[in-house]
Amino acid sequence: MAKPVQLSNGRSWQTQSAAKAHFKEILNRHIDGQRVTAPADHSDLFALLEAYDHEIPEHAQKSGSGVDHFFRDRDQEHNGLTSCFYVKRTDGRSIDFSYLRAVEKSSRK
């Protein structure tokens, strides 16, 4: 059964697979260390992060003090073998952000 994904910014996909493909395309348009600057991409990532944070305990939320921007970099939890999105928080700290897990959590609503 298809699980639709609906984000607060109005973006939606009929399936998790379609949403994951969208965010993978955004990730693949960037190189490691590069900031996500396109307003539509930032909006989609922010809305996805917002949906993800809503589904997890407050102490584990990725947005923390607030979101300054998103960027792509090597995923240190997987020995730097893959790339993922990072959230640069307003307090200056950065934390990795799996769009795959976020899409899965956001479609459970």
Side-chain angles (χ1 to χ4, degrees):
M1 179 180 198
K3 295 181 181 179
V5 176
Q6 175 73 45
L7 300 179
S8 64
N9 68 345
R11 292 295 306 251
S12 64
W13 297 267
Q14 294 295 323
T15 65
Q16 285 184 7
S17 295
K20 288 176 181 179
H22 172 75
F23 288 102
K24 182 178 183 177
E25 193 273 326
I26 294 172
L27 184 69
N28 288 338
R29 275 193 274 123
H30 296 82
I31 59 172
D32 292 337
Q34 185 178 22
R35 183 176 178 161
V36 175
T37 58
D41 293 346
H42 179 87
S43 176
D44 289 351
L45 286 167
F46 185 83
L48 182 62
L49 180 66
E50 181 179 60
Y52 178 76
D53 276 355
H54 182 72
E55 296 296 316
I56 61 174
E58 188 174 335
H59 72 277
Q61 292 179 353
K62 300 287 185 168
S63 58
S65 62
V67 175
D68 183 64
H69 65 273
F70 297 93
F71 64 98
R72 174 190 160 146
D73 215 341
R74 292 306 221 174
D75 184 355
Q76 297 308 312
E77 288 184 16
H78 295 100
N79 298 321
L81 298 175
T82 62
S83 295
C84 65
F85 290 112
Y86 277 77
V87 179
K88 181 72 166 191
R89 297 175 177 168
T90 56
D91 65 6
R93 292 185 289 161
S94 299
I95 189 165
D96 64 320
F97 168 46
S98 169
Y99 73 87
L100 298 171
R101 281 190 227 130
V103 166
E104 289 166 6
K105 286 205 178 279
S106 67
S107 67
R108 291 182 188 160
K109 294 182 181 181

Coordinates of all heavy atoms in Angstrom, one line a residue, residues 5 11-12 17 20 23 34 43 51 59 67 72-75 81 86 89 91 99 105:
V5 N 3.2 11.2 1.2 CA 4.0 12.2 2.0 C 3.5 13.6 1.8 O 3.5 14.0 0.6 CB 5.5 12.1 1.7 CG1 6.3 13.1 2.5 CG2 6.0 10.6 1.9
R11 N 4.1 20.8 -0.4 CA 4.7 19.7 -1.2 C 4.1 18.4 -0.8 O 4.0 18.1 0.4 CB 6.2 19.7 -1.2 CG 6.9 20.9 -1.8 CD 6.7 21.0 -3.3 NE 7.0 19.8 -4.0 CZ 8.1 19.7 -4.8 NH1 8.9 20.7 -5.0 NH2 8.3 18.5 -5.4
S12 N 3.8 17.6 -1.8 CA 3.3 16.2 -1.5 C 3.7 15.3 -2.6 O 3.9 15.7 -3.7 CB 1.8 16.2 -1.3 OG 1.1 16.6 -2.5
S17 N 8.5 6.5 -2.1 CA 9.6 6.3 -3.1 C 9.7 7.6 -3.9 O 10.8 8.0 -4.2 CB 9.3 5.2 -4.0 OG 9.3 4.0 -3.3
K20 N 11.4 10.2 -1.7 CA 12.8 9.9 -1.5 C 13.6 10.3 -2.8 O 14.7 10.8 -2.7 CB 13.0 8.5 -1.2 CG 12.6 8.1 0.2 CD 12.7 6.6 0.5 CE 12.3 6.3 1.9 NZ 12.4 4.8 2.1
F23 N 14.3 14.1 -2.9 CA 15.3 14.5 -2.0 C 16.7 14.0 -2.4 O 17.7 14.7 -2.2 CB 15.0 14.2 -0.5 CG 13.9 15.1 0.0 CD1 12.6 14.6 0.1 CD2 14.1 16.4 0.3 CE1 11.5 15.4 0.5 CE2 13.1 17.2 0.8 CZ 11.8 16.7 0.9
Q34 N 29.0 21.6 0.2 CA 28.2 22.7 -0.5 C 26.9 23.0 0.2 O 26.2 22.0 0.6 CB 28.0 22.3 -1.9 CG 27.3 23.4 -2.7 CD 27.1 23.0 -4.2 OE1 27.0 21.8 -4.5 NE2 27.0 24.0 -5.0
S43 N 13.2 25.2 1.3 CA 11.8 25.0 1.8 C 11.4 23.6 2.0 O 10.8 23.2 3.0 CB 10.9 25.8 0.9 OG 9.5 25.6 1.3
A51 N 8.7 17.9 9.8 CA 7.8 16.7 10.0 C 8.6 15.7 10.7 O 8.0 15.0 11.6 CB 7.4 16.2 8.6
H59 N 14.3 16.0 22.8 CA 15.7 16.0 23.1 C 16.5 15.5 21.9 O 17.7 15.7 21.8 CB 16.0 15.2 24.3 CG 15.9 13.7 24.1 ND1 14.7 13.1 24.3 CD2 16.8 12.7 23.8 CE1 14.8 11.8 24.0 NE2 16.1 11.5 23.8
V67 N 17.2 26.5 12.5 CA 17.9 26.1 11.3 C 18.4 27.4 10.6 O 17.7 28.3 10.3 CB 17.0 25.3 10.3 CG1 17.7 25.1 9.0 CG2 16.5 24.1 10.9
R72 N 25.4 19.6 2.2 CA 25.7 18.2 2.0 C 27.2 18.0 2.5 O 28.1 18.8 2.3 CB 25.7 17.9 0.5 CG 26.2 16.5 0.1 CD 26.3 16.3 -1.3 NE 27.2 15.2 -1.6 CZ 27.0 14.3 -2.6 NH1 26.1 14.5 -3.5 NH2 27.9 13.3 -2.8
D73 N 27.4 16.8 3.1 CA 28.7 16.5 3.5 C 28.8 15.0 3.8 O 27.8 14.3 3.7 CB 29.2 17.2 4.8 CG 30.7 17.6 4.7 OD1 31.4 16.9 4.0 OD2 31.1 18.5 5.5
R74 N 30.0 14.5 4.1 CA 30.2 13.0 4.4 C 29.5 12.7 5.7 O 29.6 13.4 6.7 CB 31.6 12.7 4.4 CG 32.4 12.8 3.1 CD 31.7 12.0 2.1 NE 32.6 11.3 1.2 CZ 32.2 10.5 0.3 NH1 30.9 10.2 0.2 NH2 33.0 9.9 -0.5
D75 N 28.9 11.5 5.7 CA 28.2 11.0 6.9 C 29.2 10.3 7.8 O 29.7 9.2 7.4 CB 27.1 10.0 6.4 CG 26.3 9.5 7.6 OD1 26.6 9.8 8.8 OD2 25.3 8.8 7.3
L81 N 31.6 7.1 4.2 CA 31.5 6.4 2.9 C 30.3 6.9 2.1 O 30.3 6.6 0.9 CB 31.3 4.9 3.2 CG 32.5 4.2 3.9 CD1 32.2 2.7 4.2 CD2 33.7 4.3 3.0
Y86 N 23.2 17.9 6.1 CA 23.4 18.3 7.5 C 22.6 19.6 7.7 O 22.4 20.4 6.8 CB 24.9 18.7 7.6 CG 25.8 17.5 8.0 CD1 26.2 16.6 7.0 CD2 26.2 17.3 9.3 CE1 27.0 15.5 7.3 CE2 27.0 16.2 9.6 CZ 27.4 15.3 8.6 OH 28.2 14.2 8.9
R89 N 22.7 24.7 12.5 CA 21.8 25.3 13.4 C 22.2 26.8 13.7 O 23.3 27.2 13.4 CB 21.8 24.6 14.8 CG 21.3 23.2 14.7 CD 21.4 22.5 16.0 NE 20.9 21.1 16.0 CZ 21.1 20.3 17.0 NH1 21.9 20.6 18.0 NH2 20.6 19.1 16.9
D91 N 22.8 28.1 16.4 CA 23.8 28.2 17.5 C 25.2 27.8 17.0 O 26.1 27.8 17.7 CB 23.4 27.3 18.7 CG 23.4 25.8 18.4 OD1 23.8 25.4 17.3 OD2 23.0 25.0 19.3
Y99 N 17.5 12.1 5.0 CA 16.2 12.3 4.3 C 15.4 11.0 4.2 O 14.2 11.0 4.2 CB 16.4 13.0 2.9 CG 16.9 12.1 1.9 CD1 16.1 11.3 1.1 CD2 18.3 12.0 1.6 CE1 16.6 10.5 0.1 CE2 18.8 11.2 0.6 CZ 18.0 10.5 -0.1 OH 18.5 9.6 -1.1
K105 N 9.4 8.6 8.5 CA 8.7 9.1 9.6 C 7.6 10.1 9.3 O 6.5 10.0 9.9 CB 9.7 9.8 10.6 CG 10.5 8.8 11.4 CD 11.0 9.3 12.7 CE 11.8 8.4 13.4 NZ 11.0 7.4 14.2

